[in-house]
Amino acid sequence: MRESLGDDIARATARIALVAENRTSQAPYIVDSMLPAERAPFADDVGAWLVEHLAEPYDLNRLAGAFHVSTRTMLRRFGAETGQTPLGFLGRARVRVARNLLETTDLSVGRIAERVGSRDSGTFRRLFVNQVGVGPAEYRRQFRGEKTTKGGDIDPSLQDGRRAD
């Protein structure tokens, strides 16, 4: 499939069809871009701004200033259109980008956390687990179909997909 339809289609199909044997949640397999979206012009613009500034520290005053509204108006309008706060939206956007990087790169989890604007890897891990249901390293292993040992490390005899008997 990857050869004929490309990486994006293959990745989306894998995420939809991939079923872990011991899964406890469907959260790792949700494809946000496939969820229906309602039109919310103000929130769409704010969301685009947040994604554009994803790696920067969140600053509600700066965000409100960029849209020439007070912080209270920002929270009220964004909340009315989306049912969430700008910080909540930003957290989901950061995890969405992190999932993509975990799927497509060999960057360390710490480096990915930095790229998506998290200054603390522990906080990033908690955010990721809350949204996806598993930690970033486990998500990468599950997505790539890598076998693990009881200690959680990748079984070296399975790294190339075959057991060295």
Side-chain angles (χ1 to χ4, degrees):
M1 176 181 297
R2 188 174 308 278
E3 294 81 26
S4 59
L5 298 175
D7 285 340
D8 291 338
I9 299 295
R11 210 172 15 263
T13 302
R15 189 178 301 126
I16 292 167
L18 184 64
V19 178
E21 190 173 319
N22 60 349
R23 74 172 189 224
T24 58
S25 168
Q26 280 294 106
Y29 310 109
I30 294 172
V31 180
D32 293 333
S33 62
M34 297 179 90
L35 297 174
E38 295 182 24
R39 292 295 306 151
F42 180 75
D44 288 348
D45 291 344
V46 171
W49 190 93
L50 286 166
V51 169
E52 185 177 315
H53 297 88
L54 183 80
E56 299 169 18
Y58 175 73
D59 182 342
L60 180 58
N61 289 320
R62 181 174 173 226
L63 175 63
F67 289 88
H68 310 290
V69 297
S70 69
T71 55
R72 183 177 174 168
T73 298
M74 171 60 69
L75 293 172
R76 182 182 49 78
R77 287 185 65 190
F78 192 84
E81 290 186 12
T82 66
Q84 61 185 332
T85 65
L87 183 57
F89 173 89
L90 181 60
R92 281 183 269 299
R94 286 177 169 165
V95 168
R96 187 172 42 252
V97 170
R99 285 172 63 170
N100 184 298
L101 291 171
L102 287 165
E103 295 166 10
T104 61
T105 72
D106 289 324
L107 292 172
S108 70
V109 172
R111 184 68 185 115
I112 289 172
E114 289 174 8
R115 274 220 183 151
V116 299
S118 182
R119 304 299 179 245
D120 176 59
S121 60
T123 301
F124 170 72
R125 186 181 189 292
R126 282 188 296 280
L127 176 68
F128 196 94
V129 169
N130 285 341
Q131 290 185 38
V132 180
V134 296
E138 180 62 23
Y139 176 82
R140 176 178 270 163
R141 282 191 292 271
Q142 285 181 4
F143 187 82
R144 292 184 178 183
E146 297 167 342
K147 304 287 185 194
T148 58
T149 64
K150 288 189 182 201
D153 296 324
I154 297 172
D155 184 342
S157 67
L158 298 175
Q159 284 189 344
D160 69 351
R162 298 178 311 230
R163 181 170 294 283
D165 292 324

